């Protein structure tokens, strides 16, 4: 998969060069390009924002630099995503669907947002990452990329995908590693028993309990 990120703040994206996403890029499963929008501005001072018509707080990102930066990378098979608190909230299922795309383009808004004509021209898929507001789309873009990358074959193991939270609309059971006793805080006996059937039963029970207590809104499957 090729991912092009259009942003006024390219320096925000170092997280994508760590750990699992770093490895996914090194092994050629994902290619991520971070593209600075500013050089595309036709303004003589490379200005990329302006006041809001009709009045209102703050500045909006202008349509021209975004239009030209999108056109510089857009192909017939590109899916354009505009992370925005006005979009539908990202789900695991949607991330899985997105992981099948060949080319994703992310438009990162900043300040008060972007000129609406960006949406009128490109009809991007608007995705929110939750019911709160961030100062820009950069963090949301990284959240979406991180989440969908895990569904690309080879990025993580198949077992990790099927066992984790949300994989069947429930939260993950608690896990422990060595030592079995840390300052008197003990690992539950059943996990040391080697009885795989009992371990599975215990994990299912813990998962159900945690989901019911913390996220009763998640529908059981
Ligand atoms: Cl995608 N962008 C911004 N700026 N704030 C958000 C968001 C996105 N999702 C939730 N809050």
């Amino acid at each position: 998969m090729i991912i092009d990120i259009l942003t006024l703040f390219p320096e925000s994206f170092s997280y994508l060069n760590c750990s699992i996403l770093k490895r996914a890029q090194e092994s050629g499963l994902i290619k991520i390009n971070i593209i600075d929008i500013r050089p595309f501005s036709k303004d003589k001072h490379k200005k990329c924002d302006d006041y809001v018509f009709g009045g209102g707080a703050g500045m909006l990102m202008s349509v021209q630099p975004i239009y030209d930066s999108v056109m510089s990378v857009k192909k017939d098979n590109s899916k354009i995503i505009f992370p925005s608190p006005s979009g539908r909230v990202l789900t695991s299922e949607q991330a899985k669907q997105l992981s099948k795309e060949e080319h994703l383009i992310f438009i990162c808004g900043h300040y008060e947002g972007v000129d609406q004509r960006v949406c009128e021209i490109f009809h991007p898929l608007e995705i929110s990452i939750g019911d709160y507001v961030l100062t820009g789309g950069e963090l949301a873009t990284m959240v979406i990329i991180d989440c969908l990358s895990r569904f690309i074959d080879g990025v993580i193991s198949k077992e990790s995908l099927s066992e984790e939270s949300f994989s069947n609309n429930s939260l993950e059971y608690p896990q422990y590693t060595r030592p079995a006793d840390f300052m008197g805080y003990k690992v539950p006996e059943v996990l040391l028993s080697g009885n795989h059937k009992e371990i599975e039963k215990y994990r299912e029970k813990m998962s159900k309990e945690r989901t019911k207590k913390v996220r009763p809104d998640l529908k059981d499957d």
Side-chain angles (χ1 to χ4, degrees), residues 83-85 127-137 140 144:
S84 153
I127 302 178
S128 166
I129 61 162
D131 293 338
Y132 43 79
V133 178
L134 307 170
T135 56
I144 299 165

Side-chain angles (χ1 to χ4, degrees), residues 22-187:
K22 177 182 181 182
R23 193 149 35 86
Q25 291 183 79
E26 286 170 351
S27 58
L29 295 169
I30 315 173
K31 170 97 183 77
I32 301 177
N33 304 307
I34 296 157
I35 298 152
D36 189 355
I37 293 172
R38 194 168 301 281
F40 288 92
S41 173
K42 289 178 174 156
D43 175 79
K44 65 173 182 285
H45 304 294
K46 298 291 167 196
K47 199 169 138 66
C48 288
D49 61 347
D50 217 323
Y51 297 98
V52 185
F53 276 124
M59 306 289 275
L60 274 191
M61 283 173 69
S62 315
V63 58
Q64 178 274 316
I66 297 178
Y67 176 81
D68 284 313
S69 63
V70 172
M71 292 311 284
S72 77
V73 292
K74 189 179 168 322
K75 293 176 285 186
D76 288 341
N77 65 352
S78 307
K79 183 154 200 98
I80 304 178
I81 299 175
F82 174 45
S84 153
S86 308
R88 289 251 305 271
V89 177
L90 181 70
T91 62
S92 202
E93 203 42 54
Q94 187 181 28
K96 197 174 187 172
Q97 289 307 316
L98 289 173
S99 73
K100 298 170 186 158
E101 295 287 337
E102 289 173 13
H103 182 210
L104 297 179
I105 299 171
F106 285 86
I107 301 171
C108 297
H110 215 91
Y111 315 116
E112 287 304 307
V114 308
D115 188 308
Q116 181 60 27
R117 287 168 291 186
V118 169
C119 294
E120 291 169 9
I121 295 167
F122 294 115
H123 302 287
L125 177 59
E126 291 188 52
I127 302 178
S128 166
I129 61 162
D131 293 338
Y132 43 79
V133 178
L134 307 170
T135 56
E138 283 77 12
L139 279 169
T141 292
M142 286 189 274
V143 168
I144 299 165
I145 291 171
D146 187 289
C147 183
L148 71 86
S149 296
R150 301 176 70 261
F151 291 103
I152 295 173
D153 268 351
V155 172
I156 58 167
S157 75
K158 288 223 159 52
E159 299 80 66
S160 315
L161 263 188
S162 62
E163 285 173 7
E164 72 196 0
S165 290
F166 301 109
S167 66
N168 42 22
N169 263 349
S170 59
L171 304 182
E172 197 172 57
Y173 47 80
Q175 300 182 96
Y176 303 84
T177 184
R178 287 194 293 184
D181 183 337
F182 180 69
M183 301 192 325
Y185 288 82
K186 295 199 173 68
V187 173

